[in-house]
Amino acid sequence: MSSQGPERKMGQNGIVQPLLTDLYQITMAYAYWKADKHDARSVFDLFFRKNPFNGEFTIFAGLEECLKFVENFKYSESDIEYIKQILPSHVEDEFYQYLRCLTAKDIQLYAVKEGTVVFPRMPLLRVEGPLIVAQLLETTLLNLVNFASLMATNAARYRMAAGKLKLFEFGLRRAQGPDGGLSASKYSYIGGFDGTSNVLAGKLFNIPVKGTHAHSYITSFNGFNEIKNKELAPVGGGPPQDLLELAVNFRTKLVSIFNVLLSEINDGELAAFVSFAIALPGNFMALVDTYDVKKSGLINFCATALALHHLGYRALGVRLDSGDLAYLSCVAREYFRLVAEAYRISYFFDLLIMASNDINEETILSLNEQLHCIDAFGIGTHLVTCQKQPALGCVYKMVELNEQPRIKLSQDVQKVTIPGKKDVYRLYGEAGYALIDILQRTSETSPIEGRKVLCRHPFQEAKRAFVTPSKVEKLLLLWFSDGHICQPLENLQGVREAVEESLKILRSDIKRTLNPTPYKVSVSDDLYQFLHTLWLANAPIGELC
């Protein structure tokens, strides 16, 4: 196993460029230009309507990629030539010339700090600027926020389920393509995972890289005669010694502790362990379930680990990839205890026990109830594909044009947008927990600590409450203006720490897995009146026949 310090800032994904969008964004851009509406001053909100995974919180992620995309937004000559091919032949050359000079320099982007816990209906991004540019940013911004936030939230839920145990992302082979694999590694680390098996993610994002070996390495050995190099030099110097001979001798002595017959133990497995230990003596961690964990895997591992100890090395531990993980982990820990006592090697009792095998959040919670002895989980498919919920469902809606509010109506109240340019504030109680988030019109005075605030449900008139906050936090901050990112960006480690700190502000009943308490997102009385006045003004009046 190897690792490196996660201090490097996140880089921009090379595939994130203006053509990473839907065709209708480009056709609308032409229509805006044709109608001379392209320079209209627009405001768009990016938000979601429901928390994922049957939970009551979401982690906002993807901001740095969004900012770098906006900062570098410009069509290349080859982009223009391709757009000419896909648009109708009657489109004027002047439009293409306009696109050649188009940048996002006039865009202002407000956002919640990356790694912050967020909730439905609150704007995660507020994009202000020329209508044509704000519209062209839509699909890409949604793409960058949707999966990143879903993935970080999924990882955070695993982290809460696992407590202080180590978590490693092992999902590259099951991820949704190479870019999905890289994004999963990055955002699972943000959400609280300790490392990844993805080597490219380790290089690009400085995430600690972890790994053991596969069953194929074990099955590639049939016997002792296949080990060509049996010798390993001691840590303190001196002539190399035969590690296989040492391991075989220790195995013979361990038979009484493990209560097995030598004939039951697989020699090919011991040969594989010894060979792997010779290659990586300071990083020896073995997969022990290829044949039989109790009768072969654990005794072969302990024999090899004792042989390494004899030469001054320390084995790391074992990985369990099948079977009853809770039971087998307890068996492994008990054998480690017996060996530690028999040979007076104190660290042996604390050897790492890692579990893999298609683990999900519910599996971890169930294992916790079974009082397992697992120290770390390697998690792949359910984590990186977010099998419980494949999409977050962020949307991007216009809320203002030329300082005039815009509202989208729907028979489904959840899909009615909250119009106008808004700020978001988080109000805290005396205990330090967040009580409620409130959306206000930007023209309103900010809430003040110690002063009573009326918080209203945006759509249900009777749901309202006064809140006297002990602390007020403004959540939407300006991140991009005058063509440049205007605040320093956190590195991956900083965002990871922000997630950890942000989750601490939520009460445990909001974070629990079963029937969590919903966190309230409200609107000010001014915004409530503004919303419903506009709603009535735009809603059609029915007629009874």
Side-chain angles (χ1 to χ4, degrees):
M1 301 176 101
S2 62
S3 64
Q4 49 186 336
E7 295 303 323
R8 185 183 306 152
K9 281 186 169 57
M10 293 177 280
Q12 185 185 17
N13 189 327
I15 203 171
V16 179
Q17 52 184 288
L19 290 192
L20 185 67
T21 190
D22 295 308
L23 175 61
Y24 83 162
Q25 306 291 5
I26 298 173
T27 55
M28 279 193 291
Y30 173 64
Y32 284 142
W33 180 83
K34 189 77 172 172
D36 198 27
K37 290 176 69 74
H38 54 287
D39 283 333
R41 183 73 183 181
S42 65
V43 180
F44 285 82
D45 285 348
L46 187 152
F47 60 97
F48 62 94
R49 298 187 176 104
K50 190 176 186 303
N51 287 305
F53 311 120
N54 298 316
E56 289 297 341
F57 72 88
T58 301
I59 301 296
F60 172 53
L63 175 60
E64 180 169 357
E65 286 278 6
C66 290
L67 293 171
K68 290 183 176 179
F69 165 64
V70 175
E71 186 174 48
N72 297 316
F73 183 89
K74 185 171 177 57
Y75 292 103
S76 68
E77 192 58 38
S78 64
D79 292 341
I80 300 297
E81 291 304 313
Y82 181 72
I83 293 172
K84 283 183 178 180
Q85 295 176 35
I86 61 176
L87 290 187
S89 58
H90 67 263
V91 173
E92 297 90 329
D93 286 339
E94 289 82 359
F95 174 66
Y96 297 118
Q97 186 57 40
Y98 173 79
L99 289 185
R100 283 186 177 92
C101 301
L102 193 63
T103 69
K105 64 180 177 59
D106 295 322
I107 288 289
Q108 285 188 312
L109 189 149
Y110 294 78
V112 177
K113 181 181 177 182
E114 188 157 14
T116 300
V117 63
V118 291
F119 304 96
R121 289 196 289 268
M122 61 178 287
L124 309 180
L125 303 180
R126 189 176 83 218
V127 179
E128 304 178 21
L131 175 58
I132 192 169
V133 184
Q135 187 73 68
L136 286 167
L137 297 177
E138 175 184 3
T139 298
T140 317
L141 293 178
L142 286 170
N143 177 271
L144 294 174
V145 170
N146 261 311
F147 182 68
S149 299
L150 186 73
M151 189 69 234
T153 307
N154 200 23
R157 292 176 63 89
Y158 276 93
R159 168 45 64 204
M160 291 191 301
K164 295 182 179 180
L165 302 182
K166 294 289 185 181
L167 291 174
F168 301 108
E169 177 268 310
F170 287 174
L172 178 58
R173 64 187 60 195
R174 306 284 175 81
Q176 317 291 34
D179 186 66
L182 284 172
S183 295
S185 298
K186 177 198 291 188
Y187 294 112
S188 64
Y189 183 75
I190 284 174
F193 273 60
D194 298 288
T196 179
S197 64
N198 186 339
V199 178
L200 183 56
K203 177 186 176 183
L204 294 177
F205 311 125
N206 250 8
I207 301 172
V209 180
K210 306 290 182 180
T212 55
H213 58 74
H215 290 106
S216 57
Y217 187 83
I218 306 299
T219 58
S220 72
F221 288 83
N222 275 324
F224 300 152
N225 62 318
E226 295 185 19
I227 303 180
K228 304 303 181 184
N229 175 25
K230 302 176 183 179
E231 294 187 334
L232 180 65
V235 170
Q241 296 188 37
D242 190 320
L243 190 68
L244 176 61
E245 182 180 345
L246 286 169
V248 169
N249 289 338
F250 277 116
R251 188 174 71 170
T252 302
K253 297 173 184 177
L254 289 171
V255 166
S256 59
I257 293 177
F258 282 80
N259 195 27
V260 296
L261 300 174
L262 276 174
S263 59
E264 296 179 294
I265 308 170
N266 190 286
D267 286 345
E269 185 178 51
L270 181 61
F273 287 173
V274 169
S275 178
F276 197 73
I278 289 171
L280 299 162
N283 296 274
F284 178 59
M285 187 161 182
L287 182 58
V288 293
D289 71 323
T290 305
Y291 300 111
D292 188 294
V293 175
K294 292 176 63 178
K295 293 184 177 181
S296 184
L298 285 173
I299 190 171
N300 277 332
F301 166 77
C302 288
T304 308
L306 288 172
L308 285 172
H309 176 80
H310 183 77
L311 299 181
Y313 300 94
R314 283 193 180 190
L316 298 181
V318 298
R319 178 162 70 96
L320 300 168
D321 193 50
S322 61
D324 187 331
L325 298 178
Y327 169 70
L328 291 175
S329 69
C330 293
V331 169
R333 183 66 69 211
E334 176 61 14
Y335 281 135
F336 292 164
R337 182 188 69 81
L338 293 172
V339 173
E341 292 175 353
Y343 289 88
R344 297 181 181 179
I345 305 173
S346 59
Y347 74 83
F348 220 90
F349 176 74
D350 296 316
L351 287 171
L352 183 74
I353 299 174
M354 177 184 285
S356 47
N357 188 29
D358 215 22
I359 290 171
N360 59 27
E361 183 184 349
E362 287 72 23
T363 304
I364 296 175
L365 294 170
S366 175
L367 287 168
N368 290 343
E369 294 175 354
Q370 298 172 60
L371 303 178
H372 64 82
C373 291
I374 297 165
D375 302 300
F377 290 100
I379 303 174
T381 306
H382 290 274
L383 173 68
V384 303
T385 63
C386 298
Q387 283 196 350
K388 192 187 293 185
Q389 181 174 327
L392 177 57
C394 285
V395 294
Y396 186 85
K397 300 297 181 182
M398 184 191 295
V399 295
E400 187 177 287
L401 189 68
N402 289 334
E403 299 184 351
Q404 297 299 309
R406 294 292 186 266
I407 186 171
K408 176 192 177 296
L409 300 182
S410 172
Q411 291 183 340
D412 181 356
V413 173
Q414 292 297 321
K415 291 193 173 183
V416 174
T417 59
I418 300 177
K421 191 189 301 185
K422 299 171 289 295
D423 284 320
V424 186
Y425 297 90
R426 183 155 291 166
L427 309 184
Y428 291 80
E430 292 290 346
Y433 292 116
L435 291 176
I436 196 168
D437 287 357
I438 184 168
L439 278 59
Q440 295 189 171
R441 301 177 71 186
T442 55
S443 57
E444 294 184 65
T445 303
S446 305
I448 299 173
E449 295 176 9
R451 185 174 295 180
K452 190 180 293 185
V453 181
L454 177 59
C455 299
R456 305 197 64 170
H457 189 288
F459 305 116
Q460 298 182 34
E461 185 176 17
K463 288 190 175 182
R464 53 188 180 171
F466 284 112
V467 176
T468 304
S470 62
K471 174 186 171 184
V472 176
E473 180 184 10
K474 186 175 184 179
L475 295 182
L476 276 178
L477 307 175
L478 180 62
W479 289 87
F480 185 88
S481 185
D482 298 322
H484 299 289
I485 299 169
C486 55
Q487 291 203 51
L489 298 173
E490 291 280 7
N491 58 27
L492 209 62
Q493 182 65 44
V495 178
R496 173 187 168 90
E497 291 170 358
V499 172
E500 184 178 357
E501 291 303 312
S502 190
L503 284 170
K504 290 178 181 178
I505 70 170
L506 297 183
R507 299 191 316 267
S508 58
D509 59 305
I510 296 171
K511 295 183 287 187
R512 68 191 176 202
T513 303
L514 184 63
N515 297 323
T517 302
Y519 181 86
K520 296 176 178 61
V521 176
S522 65
V523 297
S524 67
D525 187 59
D526 189 349
L527 181 54
Y528 178 88
Q529 302 298 339
F530 178 68
L531 161 64
H532 286 268
T533 300
L534 194 64
W535 192 345
L536 288 175
N538 283 273
I541 300 175
E543 182 175 348
L544 296 178
C545 300

